């Protein structure tokens, strides 16, 4: 029998389902499918944990179903066959739940059954109760009950009650599109268009075909769009592979060309050096020969000066004293190893390639993120209306001044705050989330800005900032300057090159450039600056958030 259930196919699933009726595998204590079922001496089955708990809470040890008493608590063993059948039933339910027909609905149990809960066959909207065949009998016999509205078993009958008046919702309000009771109709919905549920049901059923047709059209249109997108994706995949291959080929050719040129240039340099070396060695050899000849003449003159043969001395002296006198000043080796033109051309080529690559938003963003810094807001600089989060990454304007210590670094006039970290050289980058805000300002400022007075938000006063005010984006360069953007900024990237005098702002989501200050001359420490602006009666209460910068590969 167990093997038969193991091998049942989808075609006889209905038969198996009828054989494996849920009632056969329900524990009458927990009303759920058996878990480790055990059999009592009277032949009834229960979950092992359920029957043990049941006996723990009773004075006498008896069967919950037949009430047969046992003189001593029986030692129960797991019923292997029942356990396997219960397991197969669970699998059958899971299989049916995964079929296109939908999920296997859980049985609605009879609300009247006291011990073994039987499966309900009808639910009564008047009694708000579900009945099995036995307990439904009065509704089929008693005249007063025959008028009750019966329907197929449903769960949660209480949901059909009006929560206000505790009455059955028999009516439908077309004005509010809600189910209502009779009292609702006479009070809150008195002037509304209210009809019986059955009438609205018939009306809606009449529109069902049209609604289903519309849904089918929507499904078709979306299916067509999916096919179009998938086709575009396939085309994009092919184009990506082709572009990737072409790009790799170009870079490979360029790399090979540069490598070949490098090899050739190195060979030229070495060849010129070899020629220079050979020339130098020739000069050295000639000069060494002349030195040897001169040393020989010197030795002969010394011997001649010791001779008393006047005739020989006079005959030899003029010859020994007059060697060939070559001008050594004109002898030299000049090596032409200058390739500045080649190096200059290669430098320009590298700069041009860097410019082109830097023009790609993804490449540019990746290069900037290599200079990401971890910032923390400095509460000692925060205006009294600002609240800094515990991690120091968020700032919110509370709209009221808080009791805070007096600090010389604290801003007194406007809701501003600085980061703890300052910079005097190099490059740095950070990102700020501005989602949900109607006004904000971010950027960098010099250390000596006026924090107590009403200093202008200008470059002259040490502010290099960008922000949103009244739906318009602007900068601190000129209050009348505005920046037009296609999309509203959600996250702003700020890149600073202290040495080059650049402060640039980017739309992180689109990786596009927004605005740049260039040609700046920084002489002081720069601090990241944040201003969440006023709350605007809660419309601008969202915080500015310093977000983590994704790590580059």
């Amino acid at each position: 029998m167990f093997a038969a259930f193991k091998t049942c196919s989808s075609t006889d699933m209905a038969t198996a389902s009828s054989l494996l009726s849920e009632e056969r595998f329900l524990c009458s204590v927990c009303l759920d499918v058996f878990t480790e079922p055990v059999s009592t001496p009277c032949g009834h089955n229960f979950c092992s944990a359920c029957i043990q708990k049941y006996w723990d809470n009773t004075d006498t040890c008896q069967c919950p179903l037949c009430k047969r008493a046992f003189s001593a608590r029986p030692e129960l063993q797991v019923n292997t066959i029942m356990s396997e059948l219960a397991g197969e039933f669970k699998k059958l339910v899971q299989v049916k739940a995964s079929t296109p027909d939908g999920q296997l609905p859980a049985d609605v149990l009879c609300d009247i059954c006291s011990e073994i809960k039987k499966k309900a066959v009808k639910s009564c909207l008047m009694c708000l109760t579900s009945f099995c065949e036995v307990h439904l009998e009065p509704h089929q016999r008693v005249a007063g009950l025959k008028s009750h509205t019966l329907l197929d078993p449903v769960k949660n009958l209480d949901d059909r009650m009006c929560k206000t008046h505790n009455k059955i919702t028999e009516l439908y309000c077309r004005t509010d599109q809600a189910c209502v009771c009779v009292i609702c109709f006479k009070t809150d919905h008195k002037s509304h268009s209210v009809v019986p549920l059955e009438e609205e049901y018939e009306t809606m059923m009449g529109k069902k075909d049209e609604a289903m047709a519309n849904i089918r059209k929507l499904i078709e249109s979306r299916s067509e769009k999916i096919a179009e997108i998938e086709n575009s994706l396939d085309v994009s995949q092919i184009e990506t592979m082709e572009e990737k291959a072409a790009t790799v080929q170009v870079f490979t050719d360029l790399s090979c060309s540069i490598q070949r040129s490098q090899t050739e240039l190195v060979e030229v340099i070495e060849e010129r050096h070899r020629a220079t070396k050979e020339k130098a060695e020739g000069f050295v050899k000639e000069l060494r020969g002349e030195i040897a000849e001169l040393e020989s003449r010197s030795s002969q003159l010394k011997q001649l000066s010791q001779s008393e043969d006047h005739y020989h001395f006079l005959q030899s002296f003029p010859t020994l004293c007059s060697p060939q006198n070559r001008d050594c000043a004109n002898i030299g080796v000049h090596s032409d190893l200058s390739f500045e033109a080649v190096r200059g051309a290669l430098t320009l080529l590298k700069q041009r390639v860097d410019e082109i690559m830097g023009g790609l938003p993804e490449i540019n963003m990746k290069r900037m993120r290599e200079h990401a810094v971890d910032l923390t807001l400095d509460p000692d600089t925060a205006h009294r209306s600002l609240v800094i989060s515990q991690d120091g990454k968020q700032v919110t304007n509370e709209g009221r001044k808080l009791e805070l210590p007096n600090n010389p670094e604290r801003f007194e006039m406007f809701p501003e705050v600085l980061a703890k970290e300052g910079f005097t050289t190099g490059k740095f980058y950070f990102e700020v989330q501005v989602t949900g805000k109607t006004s904000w300002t971010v950027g960098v400022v010099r250390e000596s800005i006026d924090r107590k007075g009403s200093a202008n938000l200008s470059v002259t006063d040490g502010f290099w900032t960008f922000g949103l005010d009244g739906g318009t984006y602007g900068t601190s360069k000129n209050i009348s300057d505005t920046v037009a953007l296609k999309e509203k900024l959600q996250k702003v990237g700020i890149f600073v090159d202290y040495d080059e005098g650049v402060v640039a702002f980017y739309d992180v989501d689109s990786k596009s450039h927004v605005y740049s200050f260039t040609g700046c001359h920084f002489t002081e420490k720069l601090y990241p600056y944040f201003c969440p602006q006023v709350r605007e009666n809660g419309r601008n209460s969202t915080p500015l958030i310093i977000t983590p910068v994704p790590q580059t590969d």
Side-chain angles (χ1 to χ4, degrees):
M1 183 177 181
F2 175 63
F5 287 129
K6 292 274 293 182
T7 58
C8 70
S9 64
S10 59
T11 57
D12 48 33
M13 185 174 292
T15 303
S17 179
S18 63
L19 291 173
L20 295 177
S21 174
E22 184 174 6
E23 294 178 4
R24 300 171 184 267
F25 304 104
L26 286 181
C27 172
S28 59
V29 178
C30 66
L31 301 181
D32 201 353
V33 178
F34 289 127
T35 301
E36 294 186 353
V38 295
S39 298
T40 60
C42 57
H44 294 117
N45 298 304
F46 306 92
C47 296
S48 177
C50 292
I51 189 62
Q52 298 294 349
K53 185 177 180 181
Y54 178 82
W55 284 341
D56 290 340
N57 296 327
T58 59
D59 295 331
T60 59
C61 185
Q62 62 181 8
C63 174
L65 288 177
C66 66
K67 305 302 181 183
R68 175 180 171 181
F70 309 111
S71 58
R73 179 179 293 196
E75 298 217 356
L76 306 178
Q77 299 294 327
V78 174
N79 187 327
T80 306
I81 295 178
M82 182 59 71
S83 178
E84 291 175 346
L85 290 175
E88 285 302 309
F89 180 79
K90 289 182 180 180
K91 291 180 181 179
L92 186 62
V93 172
Q94 294 173 353
V95 169
K96 188 168 183 181
S98 63
T99 60
D101 292 335
Q103 295 183 343
L104 182 68
D107 287 335
V108 178
L109 301 180
C110 177
D111 293 324
I112 307 301
C113 292
S114 58
E115 293 181 349
I116 300 178
K117 292 286 187 179
K118 293 186 177 181
K119 184 177 178 180
V121 294
K122 291 291 181 180
S123 295
C124 178
L125 290 181
M126 304 299 290
C127 302
L128 294 179
T129 305
S130 296
F131 302 97
C132 64
E133 288 185 2
V134 174
H135 293 109
L136 182 65
E137 188 271 337
H139 277 73
Q140 299 169 337
R141 175 174 50 83
V142 179
L145 297 178
K146 286 184 178 181
S147 62
H148 287 193
T149 303
L150 299 176
L151 67 162
D152 290 336
V154 293
K155 285 189 174 183
N156 304 322
L157 284 170
D158 289 343
D159 292 345
R160 298 172 182 252
M161 294 290 291
C162 174
K163 300 300 184 291
T164 304
H165 305 108
N166 199 30
K167 293 285 185 180
I168 189 71
T169 53
E170 304 175 89
L171 305 173
Y172 184 81
C173 177
R174 289 175 173 172
T175 305
D176 293 338
Q177 296 185 350
C179 296
V180 297
C181 69
V182 175
I183 299 178
C184 290
F185 168 61
K186 294 179 179 179
T187 55
D188 298 338
H189 301 265
K190 187 175 182 179
S191 59
H192 295 179
S193 174
V194 178
V195 297
L197 282 178
E198 293 81 359
E199 182 178 337
E200 185 63 18
Y201 170 79
E202 294 297 333
T203 302
M204 291 297 104
M205 285 297 292
K207 299 179 180 179
K208 180 195 68 172
D209 292 341
E210 180 182 354
M212 293 185 67
N214 289 335
I215 291 174
R216 283 195 296 270
K217 288 181 180 179
L218 292 175
I219 292 174
E220 289 175 2
S221 65
R222 280 152 179 75
S223 298
E224 291 174 357
K225 181 56 67 174
I226 290 174
E228 178 185 334
I229 293 173
E230 290 177 342
N231 182 62
S232 299
L233 186 60
D234 292 339
V235 173
S236 176
Q237 178 69 20
I238 295 173
E239 292 178 347
T240 298
M241 295 178 65
E242 292 176 349
E243 184 64 28
K244 182 178 177 180
T247 301
V248 169
Q249 187 61 49
V250 169
F251 272 92
T252 301
D253 293 344
L254 177 60
S255 177
C256 291
S257 176
I258 292 175
Q259 187 67 41
R260 183 174 62 254
S261 298
Q262 174 186 326
T263 301
E264 292 173 348
L265 186 58
V266 169
E267 290 177 353
V268 169
I269 294 172
E270 291 177 348
E271 182 63 30
R272 290 189 180 184
H273 173 68
R274 283 194 295 271
T276 301
K277 182 180 179 182
E278 290 177 0
K279 187 176 182 180
E281 289 174 346
F283 285 146
V284 169
K285 184 177 181 180
E286 291 178 5
L287 291 173
R288 290 186 187 280
E290 292 180 4
I291 289 173
E293 181 184 354
L294 291 173
E295 287 178 346
S296 175
R297 287 174 179 268
S298 176
S299 177
Q300 292 179 36
L301 279 173
K302 184 177 181 181
Q303 292 177 359
L304 185 63
S305 64
Q306 296 174 354
S307 173
E308 294 181 358
D309 185 347
H310 297 161
Y311 177 81
H312 179 66
F313 180 86
L314 292 175
Q315 289 292 324
S316 301
F317 183 78
T319 303
L320 295 174
C321 288
S322 301
Q324 183 178 0
N325 187 16
R326 184 166 59 163
D327 187 4
C328 294
N330 295 326
I331 299 176
V333 177
H334 302 286
S335 177
D336 183 11
L337 296 178
S338 176
F339 294 91
E340 291 184 3
V342 176
R343 291 197 300 272
L346 291 173
T347 301
L348 290 176
L349 175 61
K350 178 182 178 301
Q351 292 175 350
R352 181 55 181 156
V353 171
D354 287 342
E355 289 176 3
I356 294 174
M357 296 298 292
L360 299 174
E362 294 83 358
I363 299 296
N364 191 37
M365 181 66 69
K366 181 179 180 180
R367 290 179 178 177
M368 288 190 300
R369 282 176 166 172
E370 292 174 354
H371 303 282
V373 291
D374 185 16
L375 301 180
T376 305
L377 297 170
D378 185 359
D380 290 339
T381 67
H383 184 266
R384 296 177 186 275
S385 66
L386 300 182
V387 174
I388 309 299
S389 63
Q390 189 172 1
D391 61 0
K393 303 298 183 182
Q394 302 185 26
V395 55
T396 307
N397 189 345
E398 287 293 299
R400 57 186 179 86
K401 289 191 175 181
L402 308 174
E403 292 296 330
L404 296 173
N406 291 321
N407 292 322
E409 298 87 2
R410 190 180 304 285
F411 288 97
E412 295 292 346
M413 292 294 294
F414 302 107
E416 304 163 295
V417 63
L418 302 181
K420 292 181 179 180
E421 298 77 14
F423 304 88
T424 56
T425 187
K427 302 173 183 178
F428 61 95
Y429 174 82
F430 59 99
E431 295 178 354
V432 184
Q433 181 176 309
V434 297
T435 304
K437 296 195 65 62
T438 57
S439 297
W440 50 268
T441 306
V442 295
V444 293
V445 299
R446 65 188 179 205
E447 186 175 22
S448 64
I449 57 171
D450 183 8
R451 309 186 189 194
K452 306 301 179 182
S454 56
N456 293 323
L457 202 69
S458 66
V459 173
T460 305
D461 291 326
F463 293 81
W464 292 270
T465 62
F466 181 87
L468 174 66
D469 184 17
T472 303
Y473 293 100
T475 74
S476 59
K477 184 175 182 180
N478 189 325
I479 194 170
S480 61
D481 282 350
T482 60
V483 179
L485 300 178
K486 294 181 179 179
E487 300 289 339
K488 187 174 182 180
L489 291 176
Q490 305 297 323
K491 188 182 292 186
V492 185
I494 299 94
F495 173 74
V496 179
D497 188 335
Y498 190 102
D499 302 324
E500 293 295 325
V502 175
V503 180
F505 299 87
Y506 291 84
D507 181 345
V508 174
D509 293 334
S510 66
K511 299 180 177 59
S512 59
H513 175 259
V514 174
Y515 185 83
S516 288
F517 295 92
T518 58
C520 307
H521 181 59
F522 302 128
T523 57
E524 300 180 26
K525 183 178 287 188
L526 295 181
Y527 284 91
Y529 167 90
F530 310 86
C531 178
Q533 299 294 358
V534 297
R535 285 178 61 86
E536 299 178 10
N537 294 324
R539 292 191 301 274
N540 191 38
S541 59
T542 307
L544 287 176
I545 304 174
I546 302 173
T547 58
V549 177
Q551 295 296 315
T552 56
D553 296 331

